[in-house]
Every structure is written in structure tokens, then in C-alpha cells.
Amino acid sequence: MKTKLIMVEGLPGFGKSTTARMIHGILTERSIETRLVMEGDLDHPADYEGTACLTEEEFGRLLQAAGPFKEILSQRATQKDNLYLLPYQKLKNEFGDSFPEELYPSLSQHDIYELPLDLNRKLITQRWQAFAEETLQTPAVTIFECCFIQNPVTVGMVKHDAPEDQVTDYVLGLEQAIQPLNPLLFYVDQNDLEYAFRKALRERPKDWATGFSDYYTGQGYGKHHSLEGVEGTLKVLEARRKLEYRILDRLALNKLRIDNSLYDQETYRTKLIDKLKLHGVNPE
């Protein structure tokens, strides 16, 4: 096995989830130990999902308002330098209706992906560095659905409208962190972005579509360019894709752009097997 990490990237609706699951299935069939980590996993080993970041003063105020939940929050928080990290979404899922409803808005406002870009980048990069060190000691191949390119570009360009060099450097810093894992990147592409995105809108819940469009047009790049609705979201996605292409060109790791325009799973699976063989990931 030449790699310890396989990453799948691409735009919404392009087939990242399908690709990640297929790769996992291909390797599992060949008795290769793998760990599949999908987007949104609250136990993501290299990312922070549903995690708040608070200063000591902010954490103190939170505890004062937590009532009987004060001890639980104290136990679950992780101190990192002078900051406190709290997995609030896991707590909400675990305790359900007994989780103090008044705490949730405050915690979500302090989500790591609501932080200033520099602090977000610092925390996420440290997380990837720790993941790489741990993964070197394990036998399994980890498969990530997105987060390597998608998250830095989304928070950097879409949310903060940051300069391109800052967003690119963010991703290049993550690449440096995982170099010892000899990573392999699959970038899933489509010929027709609009068709793929509108297909995703039809297939996914309406709340997802509304939230996605609001995120892409209501702040950062979308707001700066006065974009609105689905049409505006498509323009942001096209700008994001062009930026991701340029970032791909800068990456030195093993990378493959793979076309999923036909949505033909059997043909696509065969294509993935051939690409994996080419990189020695699934030896016969």
C-alpha cells in the first residue's frame, strides 16, 4: 500500500459521496483495511464539525449560563492554548431536548467555521497535522469525502471573499501537513455544472437548497458581487471551480481529475479501479 490517505473533492452534486463509497467498497473487497469518513462526520479526525471555539472569558460566561449543564460542558471542553473547544453538535445530539436550547445559538455563533479566517486556518491546520501523525501509526487507509480543498475554499472565498493567495496557501499548508501519508486526491468533475447542481437541488431536501443558496450568496464573494438565488449561487460555484482548478495545478501530491458526467455507476466504478491500480492502491 503506497498511500495512507485518499481524498475525494469536487463541487456539490458532482458525485463525491458516490466516489468515496465506491473507493471504500473496492478496497474492502480486496481485503485492504480502510476507514471511510464522510462529510459532516462529527468524529472527523482531521476537521472540526459542529465545534465551538471560545476564549477563556467567553467560556466562563457560557458556564455561568449553563445551569445544571455546567459540569458537562466543563468535562467535554478541550483546552487548546488559551482557547476552549466544545463539540456542541455532539452534545445536542446526545442530550436531545434536555440540552439547554438557549445555549445552542451562542455556541453555533462561535463555530470554528465562523471564526476569522486566520484563526480558523490555524486551528484546522493543527488538526490536520495531528491527524497525519496519528495515521502514520495505524494500518488502515483513510478515505475522506471532501474537506481538504472544499472547506478552505468555502470558508476563504465563499464566506470571507479572501484574496486568492490566502485561500491557496491555506490548502498548500494542509498538503504539507499530510505529505508523510503520501496522499492520493480524486477530483470529481462534471462537464455541465448547472445540470449537476440543479440535479442536486431536485434530489436533496428543500431546506438544504435554501441554506446552501443563502450561504453562497448572502456573504463574502456572493454579497460582494451582488449575487442572489440559484442563478447567483451557480455563478459563485463557477468561480469556486475555477479557483479549485488553479489550486489543483499548484498541488504536488498525486492527483487525478475524474469525469462523472455520465452518472453511469458501473462504468465509473471500472474507471476508479483502473485509476487505483495505476497508483498501486489496490494490488491484485
Side-chain angles (χ1 to χ4, degrees), residues 238-249:
E238 184 56 52
R240 174 185 153 186
R241 177 158 72 168
K242 290 177 180 177
L243 174 55
E244 291 188 359
Y245 282 171
R246 293 192 291 272
I247 291 173
L248 279 170
D249 289 340

Side-chain angles (χ1 to χ4, degrees), residues 197 201 205-219 233:
F197 183 63
L201 292 180
K206 186 175 180 180
D207 288 349
W208 179 90
T210 302
F212 190 94
S213 184
D214 288 348
Y215 188 94
Y216 266 63
T217 61
Q219 57 186 341
T233 303

Side-chain angles (χ1 to χ4, degrees), residues 15-219:
K16 297 189 301 295
S17 300
T18 298
T19 303
R21 291 191 178 101
M22 278 189 178
I23 292 172
H24 178 254
I26 291 166
L27 298 188
T28 301
E29 288 170 7
R30 286 153 179 78
S31 300
I32 296 172
E33 185 179 352
T34 61
R35 177 185 183 186
L36 175 62
V37 184
M38 302 298 287
E39 181 179 6
D41 190 329
L42 294 178
D43 293 311
H44 201 294
D47 194 24
Y48 289 108
E49 185 73 31
T51 299
C53 176
L54 304 103
T55 64
E56 186 173 358
E57 181 180 349
E58 290 166 341
F59 187 61
R61 290 200 299 268
L62 177 72
L63 294 181
Q64 289 178 356
F69 251 74
K70 177 178 180 179
E71 185 175 350
I72 293 172
L73 296 183
S74 296
Q75 292 173 348
R76 299 295 182 89
T78 302
Q79 189 170 2
K80 192 170 186 63
D81 299 326
N82 60 339
L83 299 171
Y84 290 83
L85 305 182
L86 190 64
Y88 67 92
Q89 191 60 58
K90 284 187 72 174
L91 287 169
K92 173 65 174 172
N93 292 352
E94 180 180 345
F95 290 97
D97 292 340
S98 63
F99 186 84
E101 193 64 35
E102 64 274 13
L103 297 182
Y104 192 85
S106 176
L107 288 166
S108 61
Q109 288 170 9
H110 288 90
D111 192 282
I112 282 178
Y113 280 97
E114 295 297 325
L115 296 173
L117 183 57
D118 286 347
L119 181 54
N120 167 273
R121 176 180 172 180
K122 177 183 176 181
L123 290 168
I124 297 297
T125 301
Q126 290 174 347
R127 182 78 164 169
W128 279 80
Q129 290 167 341
F131 160 74
E133 292 173 5
E134 294 170 4
T135 302
L136 277 174
Q137 310 304 318
T138 62
V141 177
T142 302
I143 303 168
F144 283 164
E145 181 212 4
C146 71
C147 88
F148 171 67
I149 293 178
Q150 174 177 283
N151 289 11
V153 171
T154 301
V155 72
M157 186 200 97
V158 178
K159 181 174 180 59
H160 291 290
D161 195 25
E164 180 171 327
D165 61 340
Q166 289 186 22
V167 181
T168 302
D169 286 347
Y170 189 159
V171 180
L172 294 179
L174 301 186
E175 179 188 33
Q176 184 176 5
I178 58 175
Q179 276 181 343
L181 304 179
N182 190 25
L184 174 60
L185 171 65
F186 283 87
Y187 190 86
V188 184
D189 216 343
Q190 294 273 354
N191 290 332
D192 191 333
L193 186 157
E194 181 173 356
Y195 174 82
F197 183 63
R198 289 189 183 278
K199 181 175 183 291
L201 292 180
R202 292 193 301 270
E203 295 174 349
R204 300 185 186 186
K206 186 175 180 180
D207 288 349
W208 179 90
T210 302
F212 190 94
S213 184
D214 288 348
Y215 188 94
Y216 266 63
T217 61
Q219 57 186 341

Side-chain angles (χ1 to χ4, degrees), residues 244-262:
E244 291 188 359
Y245 282 171
R246 293 192 291 272
I247 291 173
L248 279 170
D249 289 340
R250 295 282 304 277
L251 293 170
L253 51 72
N254 291 322
K255 58 201 173 187
L256 297 163
R257 277 169 64 170
I258 186 163
D259 186 15
N260 187 34
S261 300
L262 297 178

